Amino acid sequence: MFKLLLPILIGLGIAQFSMVSDILVWDRYLIEHGELWRIVTGNFTHTNLAHLMMNAAALAIFGYIFKELLTLKKLLILLFSISLLTGLALLFTPIQAYVGLSGVLHGLFVWAAIEDIKNKRQTGWLLLLGIIAKISWEHHFGASASTISLINAKVATEAHLFGAIAGGLLQIPALFIKTNKASDDLK
């Protein structure tokens, strides 16, 4: 699993350097003026080292818990797809700038929870309900003051919601494939 995550973690570290992050951050003005890569790459930049370490640790935990579901190719597709959907959805908010992997992480965990549910693991339901409860809490009460202080920025809870929705949306094609396979088996 470490070999799977190592290139991604190195990329996150490189994106932390200001000369790199300056060309990667999600910036509405620059996106609207043609720098479309920022829709995806903004998810891989962070406000500070603590923010980076917190998200890198969450990604490592995700990778460890769900290692049997992942290949490097699948993980890269998930990271790209959830980043793209989250970055696009943020364009429909008043947010002017965004950095951080937390929206994508919410999407990864929702995707994995649904995988567990499809595989009849009860833990999938617990994880999915936990994410829904967390996002609901954040939208009602806001992010924790300690997290805001740690990352030295406002927490973009909208990204958490959009990432979670993106992770769920990525499961829709699998549902159609499973439904079609089941109906083919009945013929």
Side-chain angles (χ1 to χ4, degrees):
M1 180 45 51
F2 183 70
K3 287 191 289 186
L4 179 72
L5 289 174
L6 186 61
I8 297 165
L9 295 172
I10 289 171
L12 288 174
I14 292 169
Q16 185 63 24
F17 292 104
S18 63
M19 59 189 242
V20 177
S21 67
D22 288 347
I23 61 171
L24 299 179
V25 298
W26 190 99
D27 182 303
R28 175 182 302 279
Y29 176 82
L30 296 172
I31 291 168
E32 290 173 348
H33 286 85
E35 296 185 16
L36 300 179
W37 66 86
R38 293 172 182 273
I39 292 169
V40 172
T41 61
N43 294 282
F44 300 97
T45 59
H46 293 84
T47 56
N48 57 30
L49 187 58
H51 189 200
L52 169 65
M53 296 306 289
M54 186 171 56
N55 282 331
L59 182 60
I61 290 167
F62 170 82
Y64 179 77
I65 293 172
F66 297 106
K67 62 183 170 262
E68 76 279 354
L69 300 176
L70 300 170
T71 62
L72 180 58
K73 180 180 177 182
K74 185 179 278 186
L75 182 57
L76 291 174
I77 289 169
L78 287 168
L79 287 169
F80 175 79
S81 301
I82 296 169
S83 294
L84 177 64
L85 293 170
T86 301
L88 287 171
L90 288 173
L91 290 170
F92 295 96
T93 71
I95 292 175
Q96 297 300 307
Y98 170 73
V99 296
L101 194 63
S102 58
V104 174
L105 289 165
H106 282 73
L108 289 172
F109 277 100
V110 166
W111 177 87
I114 294 170
E115 281 294 308
D116 274 358
I117 292 166
K118 290 182 341 191
N119 290 312
K120 310 239 186 291
R121 293 186 194 120
Q122 297 303 315
T123 53
W125 285 109
L126 291 173
L127 179 57
L128 188 59
L129 291 172
I131 293 168
I132 291 168
K134 178 187 180 290
I135 291 170
S136 298
W137 177 274
E138 288 176 339
H139 281 285
H140 187 70
F141 298 107
S144 73
S146 60
T147 301
I148 294 167
S149 176
L150 183 66
I151 69 171
N152 196 27
K154 176 191 176 295
V155 175
T157 57
E158 301 89 343
H160 298 175
L161 174 62
F162 295 145
I165 291 169
L169 288 174
L170 291 176
Q171 286 289 357
I172 291 173
L175 294 174
F176 283 113
I177 292 167
K178 187 175 183 177
T179 302
N180 288 339
K181 186 177 184 296
S183 66
D184 288 345
D185 291 344
L186 294 174
K187 292 179 181 178

